[in-house]
Amino acid sequence: MHNVTIEYCKLCRWMMRATWMAQELLTTFSDELEEVTLKQNTGGIYNIYADGELIFSRKEEGRFPEITELKQLVRDKIAPQKSLGHSDKK
């Protein structure tokens, strides 16, 4: 089983975005994910880790991930053979 951590800036009030993304990931990867952890921080941070590896950084990308993009990044790390249906990029 795998885990994802969403580290977000509590001062920027990004908890709702983090909880929504966690819900989406838990729904999509119900058989692959053991947990999605929300981790508070400060400094405008919004980082997403899969099995401890940084897979998305808002500061590096200059934006938040789209949910389909995030699902693809998580899938590529934890379940490369899994189909994401209509959300999958060919």
Side-chain angles (χ1 to χ4, degrees), residues 4 21-29 33 36 70-71 74:
V4 169
M21 288 188 170
Q23 174 187 320
E24 287 288 319
L25 292 175
L26 286 168
T27 300
T28 300
F29 299 100
L33 283 176
V36 175
L70 178 58
K71 288 178 182 182
V74 170

Side-chain angles (χ1 to χ4, degrees), residues 12-62:
C12 298
R13 303 211 183 276
W14 289 337
M15 182 178 69
M16 291 299 289
R17 179 187 305 264
T19 58
W20 170 67
M21 288 188 170
Q23 174 187 320
E24 287 288 319
L25 292 175
L26 286 168
T27 300
T28 300
F29 299 100
S30 61
D31 294 330
E32 294 85 8
L33 283 176
E34 181 174 12
E35 65 183 9
V36 175
T37 303
L38 301 180
K39 182 178 178 184
Q40 297 185 108
N41 208 327
T42 58
I45 199 162
Y46 199 89
N47 290 334
I48 301 170
Y49 303 86
D51 291 338
E53 180 182 324
L54 180 66
I55 60 169
F56 193 91
S57 167
R58 187 194 69 82
K59 285 192 175 182
E60 288 177 14
E61 298 292 328

Side-chain angles (χ1 to χ4, degrees), residues 48-89:
I48 301 170
Y49 303 86
D51 291 338
E53 180 182 324
L54 180 66
I55 60 169
F56 193 91
S57 167
R58 187 194 69 82
K59 285 192 175 182
E60 288 177 14
E61 298 292 328
R63 61 182 176 80
F64 290 98
E66 295 294 327
I67 195 62
T68 54
E69 174 187 21
L70 178 58
K71 288 178 182 182
Q72 290 165 5
L73 289 168
V74 170
R75 185 270 316 272
D76 292 349
K77 176 69 179 162
I78 70 167
Q81 302 306 316
K82 183 177 182 75
S83 170
L84 296 175
H86 68 278
S87 300
D88 234 340
K89 280 189 180 172

